[in-house]
Amino acid sequence: MEQIARDPRADFLAVYNSSANRREGAVAMLKWLENETDFFTAPVSSKHHLAKPGGLVIHSLNVWRRLREITVRELTDRDAPGVRHLSEAEEETVAILGLLHDVCKADVYHKADPFKAAIEGRLATMAPYEFRDPFPLGHGEKSLFLITRHLALTEEEALAIRWHMGAYDDAVKGGSRSMNEAMNLTPWVWRLQEADMCATWIDERSAAE
Ligand SMILES: [Fe+2]
Ligand SMILES: [Fe+2]
């Protein structure tokens, strides 16, 4: 799959400013991400896919693109010729979910110290980053909290952000059935889960090979 080769930050801003900027609080949200977090330089993981500066923004764009494809596919009427075009409101939701679902990953990956790793005899296996979360609220829960401090989400978007980890969510692993209820309420829950999985396991894995 073709990867985004241009400046990921510029691509992020282009999508955000064309599709999400009419939402209440969108300007404040972006200002906060740019000035008070490491969102635009953070990796997306400590050692797996895109464990490099800017990885989080590349992943967010990959999820946005996948979510857009999934939504178009799902809304296209099989009996009607041609591709279904998304409405302005649908484009807005796709942009907000794709670009912001992982804001919980800002400020949690810290560059590993090779000197410390050498002293401890683990230089060969050292991951590029170490994970330390100063605000351990839970993955989807934290993204939801951080976004809604600035930007107004719809109820459907809130459910999708909260449950985007799917089967990997701690509450789901503990037996909660709330995610199933959320999926019954809105297709955006499983659309975002599918987009996140496709980006992580197809786009970012094949790019790493
Ligand atoms: Fe996530
Ligand atoms: Fe993600």
Side-chain angles (χ1 to χ4, degrees), residues 97 101 140 143-144 147 153 157-164 192:
L97 295 183
H101 76 286
S143 279
L144 180 60
I147 295 168
L153 291 176
E157 291 164 353
L159 289 169
I161 297 278
R162 162 62 186 94
W163 294 109
H164 81 263
L192 182 57

Side-chain angles (χ1 to χ4, degrees), residues 59 101-102 104-105 139-140 143 164-165 196:
H59 170 70
H101 76 286
D102 269 343
C104 61
K105 291 189 173 187
H139 189 89
S143 279
H164 81 263
M165 286 290 274
D196 204 16

Side-chain angles (χ1 to χ4, degrees), residues 9 27-42 103 105-108 134 146 149-150:
R9 186 175 181 279
V27 173
M29 180 81 216
L30 187 58
K31 224 181 192 172
W32 175 73
L33 285 175
E34 286 190 303
N35 299 326
E36 295 181 50
T37 77
D38 70 357
F39 182 83
F40 286 98
T41 54
V103 292
K105 291 189 173 187
D107 298 325
V108 300
L146 294 176
R149 278 207 301 195
H150 306 281

